[in-house]
């Protein structure tokens, strides 16, 4: 019997044999009643451990594909045939070990993945796994770890001046789930939802996914144009990124913040404040939040994906007190609760001061990356206009006379650069076709220099 067993495949040898043997049986290549080679013989043919073959035979016997007859051997069960069955090639190929990507990664939203504090995190994790009570490994409350909620409340007070009750916080699996949670909790079909234009494409889709009626509001150099909000409507939702607009980087000034709160009060509306990377401000301290101005009107959404790692999948939402109970019920039905052990590890990580040390370290790294990026863009493209460079993990660059359409962006990717255009996130198309979003969090200065030079060659038609 011929089987393709690959030792360098990420799938275990036993699973490779199991999948292929099952396929041959279902397709009738090995017919019912046929005797299979002994486990010893099969192992010798394939050059694998006999225990591996025993494991596969036992598993497939338990599933009913095989039958063992005492003293006679192992046989294929009669009647196991499925017309037109074929094993999807992706099952055996998608898990192959991939070579490290050679792409220069200018995608926004990615922190410096190689700088994750692995040693410190692993020490905290080891302590949590070894010292935690047994009930921590069971089901928890939908709101998430009380310990983490208390730590987040204290942390936000220190770094953002936010005063909130830990009982108003819900831990989520990242900011994406936080938006899903809020959308399901407060956006009923037909409810008007005002969003910045441009806005993250995924967030727009989430907010409209529960039936919200999306209405774009233009953004200028100071953020959301509050004078564009209509006053003849009640009970709306407004989604804003006041501390660092995505993708244009605008910071909403105090006057517009007050106007936004006044609009919410006058129209009995709720504001969704996405504060996704406010820790990384390079001139002065972070701006105060809308939540601090009107806790009863603002839903505050934060995440640790940009600060630490997207892989942790930990975000949080602070709900106004009159909305918290409904949001907790929604969270219960979404996934009952987000993974609890990482929550406790994060709580201890923050409480011991490790997070603030990490943020301070990364702020210096990102500031150097930002300066290197701007310097090289201006050197290679003297006419370029840099937008939104005072904070965050990305800038926007406007290239006069260039249109970054799908064809050109495909050429850029084919030449080894991952990057997005602002136009992708625009609702009203056509205004941002000459602008690229340069994320500088997950690349070093050498990659930045190479990447900018490569883009210049592409735009000059030399690639």
């Amino acid at each position: 019997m011929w089987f393709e067993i690959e030792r360098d495949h990420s799938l275990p040898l036993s699973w490779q044999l199991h999948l292929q043997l099952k396929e041959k049986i279902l397709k009738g290549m090995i017919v019912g009643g046929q005797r299979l080679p002994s486990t010893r013989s099969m192992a010798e043919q394939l050059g694998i451990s006999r225990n591996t073959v025993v494991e596969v035979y036992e598993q497939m016997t338990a599933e009913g594909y095989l039958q063992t007859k005492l003293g006679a051997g192992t046989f294929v069960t009669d009647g196991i045939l499925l017309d037109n069955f074929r094993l999807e090639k992706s099952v055996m190929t998608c898990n192959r070990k991939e070579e490290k990507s050679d792409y220069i990664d200018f995608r926004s939203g990615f922190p410096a993945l190689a700088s994750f504090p692995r040693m410190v995190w692993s020490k905290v994790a080891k302590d949590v796994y070894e010292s935690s009570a047994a009930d921590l490994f069971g089901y928890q409350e939908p709101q998430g770890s009380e310990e983490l909620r208390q730590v987040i409340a204290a942390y936000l007070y220190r770094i953002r001046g936010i005063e909130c009750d830990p009982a108003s916080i819900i831990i989520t699996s990242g900011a994406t789930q936080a938006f899903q949670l809020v959308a399901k909790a407060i956006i009923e079909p037909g409810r008007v939802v005002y969003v910045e234009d441009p806005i993250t494409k995924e967030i727009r889709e989430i907010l409209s996914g529960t039936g919200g009626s999306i209405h774009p509001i233009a953004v200028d150099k100071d953020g959301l144009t509050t004078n564009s909000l209509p006053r003849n409507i009640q009970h709306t939702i407004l989604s804003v990124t006041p501390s660092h607009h995505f993708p244009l980087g605008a910071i909403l000034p105090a006057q517009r913040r007050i106007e936004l709160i006044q609009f919410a009060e006058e129209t009995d509306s709720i504001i969704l404040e996405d504060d996704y990377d406010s820790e990384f401000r390079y001139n002065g301290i972070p701006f105060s939040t809308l939540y601090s101005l009107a806790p009863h009107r603002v839903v505050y959404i934060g995440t640790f994906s940009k600060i630490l790692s997207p892989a942790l999948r930990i975000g949080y939402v602070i709900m106004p007190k009159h909305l918290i109970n409904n949001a907790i019920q929604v969270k219960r039905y979404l996934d009952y609760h987000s993974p609890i052990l990482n929550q406790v590890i994060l709580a201890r990580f923050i409480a011991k001061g490790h997070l603030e040390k990490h943020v301070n370290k990364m702020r210096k790294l990102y500031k150097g990356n930002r300066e290197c990026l701007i310097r090289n863009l201006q050197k290679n493209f003297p006419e370029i206009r840099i937008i939104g460079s005072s904070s965050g993990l990305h800038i926007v660059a406007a290239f006069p006379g260039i249109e970054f359409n799908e064809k050109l962006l495909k050429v850029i990717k084919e030449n080894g650069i991952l990057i997005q255009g602002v136009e992708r996130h625009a609702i009203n198309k056509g205004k941002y076709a000459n602008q690229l979003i340069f994320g500088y969090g997950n690349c070093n200065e050498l990659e930045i220099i190479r990447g900018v030079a490569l883009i210049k060659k592409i735009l000059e038609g030399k690639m």
Side-chain angles (χ1 to χ4, degrees), residues 253-283:
Q255 182 179 359
R256 291 195 187 183
R257 291 172 186 245
I258 298 300
E259 290 173 353
L260 202 56
I261 297 298
Q262 289 175 338
F263 172 85
E265 293 285 4
E266 293 168 4
T267 61
D268 190 24
S269 298
I270 294 293
I271 300 171
L272 310 185
E273 179 177 12
D274 183 7
D275 201 21
Y276 66 98
D277 66 358
S278 61
E279 285 84 357
F280 300 118
R281 179 164 173 77
Y282 307 109
N283 300 304

Side-chain angles (χ1 to χ4, degrees), residues 320-441:
K321 292 188 183 300
H322 66 287
L323 298 175
I324 185 66
N325 289 334
N326 187 43
I328 291 172
Q329 281 300 104
V330 171
K331 174 61 173 166
R332 184 187 301 275
Y333 296 130
L334 278 177
D335 62 0
Y336 203 85
H337 63 75
S338 298
I340 200 70
L341 292 170
N342 270 354
Q343 293 182 42
V344 177
I345 295 168
L346 178 59
R348 310 274 171 88
F349 185 85
I350 298 173
K352 293 176 182 291
H354 298 311
L355 181 62
E356 286 168 78
K357 288 179 183 177
H358 179 70
V359 168
N360 290 333
K361 174 184 175 183
M362 300 314 297
R363 191 180 289 123
K364 295 176 183 177
L365 174 67
Y366 296 145
K367 183 177 181 181
N369 285 355
R370 178 196 63 153
E371 292 173 352
C372 175
L373 176 60
I374 293 173
R375 184 169 61 249
N376 277 272
L377 283 171
Q378 292 175 335
K379 174 184 175 182
N380 285 277
F381 305 98
E383 303 299 318
I384 204 169
R385 181 165 60 96
I386 304 297
I387 303 168
S389 62
S390 63
S391 62
L393 298 177
H394 75 272
I395 62 170
V396 168
F399 294 75
I402 303 292
E403 179 184 350
F404 292 100
N405 53 34
E406 290 299 320
K407 182 179 179 181
L408 180 53
L409 289 171
K410 182 180 179 182
V411 171
I412 292 174
K413 182 176 181 180
E414 288 173 346
N415 281 278
I417 295 178
L418 299 176
I419 197 166
Q420 287 184 351
V422 174
E423 192 76 358
R424 178 180 187 270
H425 301 284
I427 299 175
N428 295 311
K429 302 294 185 181
K431 186 177 179 181
Y432 305 101
N434 70 332
Q435 298 180 14
L436 289 179
I437 306 168
F438 282 85
Y440 50 79

Side-chain angles (χ1 to χ4, degrees), residues 175-204:
T176 299
Q177 192 191 54
F179 272 98
Q180 291 176 328
L181 169 66
V182 172
K184 290 178 180 294
I186 68 175
I187 302 178
E188 64 272 9
R191 190 169 188 181
V192 171
V193 181
Y194 292 111
V195 299
E196 299 162 317
D197 184 14
I199 181 179
T200 307
K201 182 173 180 288
E202 290 76 12
I203 291 178
R204 184 172 78 239

Side-chain angles (χ1 to χ4, degrees), residues 42-253:
M42 179 74 86
E44 289 175 354
Q45 290 178 37
L46 300 178
I48 61 178
S49 164
R50 183 187 178 195
N51 288 339
T52 299
V53 180
V54 170
E55 178 186 341
V56 172
Y57 278 22
E58 289 180 347
Q59 176 65 30
M60 297 192 70
T61 299
E63 293 178 2
Y65 289 97
L66 304 178
Q67 292 179 332
T68 300
K69 298 180 181 179
L70 188 63
T74 302
F75 298 81
V76 177
T77 303
D78 287 324
I80 305 294
L81 185 65
L82 189 61
D83 291 339
N84 301 319
F85 175 83
R86 65 183 181 88
L87 180 66
E88 291 291 338
K89 290 186 177 180
S90 60
V91 174
M92 292 297 293
T93 61
C94 69
N95 287 309
R96 294 184 189 276
K97 295 176 181 177
E98 299 288 344
E99 295 295 324
K100 184 181 183 299
S101 172
D102 290 327
Y103 283 106
I104 294 172
D105 194 351
F106 283 132
R107 289 175 298 173
S108 61
F110 280 79
L113 302 180
S115 296
F116 181 79
R118 301 186 190 196
M119 295 302 295
V120 177
W121 182 270
S122 63
K123 288 178 181 178
V124 177
K126 183 175 183 291
D127 179 65
V128 169
Y129 276 97
E130 291 180 349
S131 64
S132 295
D135 59 3
L136 183 65
F137 295 84
Y139 289 105
Q140 307 294 319
E141 291 301 312
Q143 269 190 277
S145 162
E146 182 178 0
E147 180 179 356
L148 179 57
R149 289 187 282 113
Q150 290 175 343
V151 167
I152 287 176
Y155 173 75
L156 290 176
Y157 180 73
R158 288 197 307 275
I159 68 161
R160 305 293 279 126
I162 292 176
E163 294 186 54
C164 70
D165 185 346
S168 296
I169 299 175
I170 300 175
I171 307 300
T172 64
S173 297
T176 299
Q177 192 191 54
F179 272 98
Q180 291 176 328
L181 169 66
V182 172
K184 290 178 180 294
I186 68 175
I187 302 178
E188 64 272 9
R191 190 169 188 181
V192 171
V193 181
Y194 292 111
V195 299
E196 299 162 317
D197 184 14
I199 181 179
T200 307
K201 182 173 180 288
E202 290 76 12
I203 291 178
R204 184 172 78 239
E205 292 172 348
I206 290 171
L207 297 178
S208 63
T210 54
S213 177
I214 302 297
H215 292 252
I217 302 294
V219 171
D220 64 15
K221 65 181 181 61
D222 291 321
L224 183 80
T225 53
T226 48
N227 60 0
S228 301
L229 290 168
R231 294 311 201 262
N232 60 347
I233 192 168
Q234 293 285 306
H235 199 49
T236 69
I237 305 292
L238 301 94
S239 177
V240 294
T241 50
S243 295
H244 185 227
H245 172 261
F246 181 87
L248 300 180
I251 298 171
L252 202 67

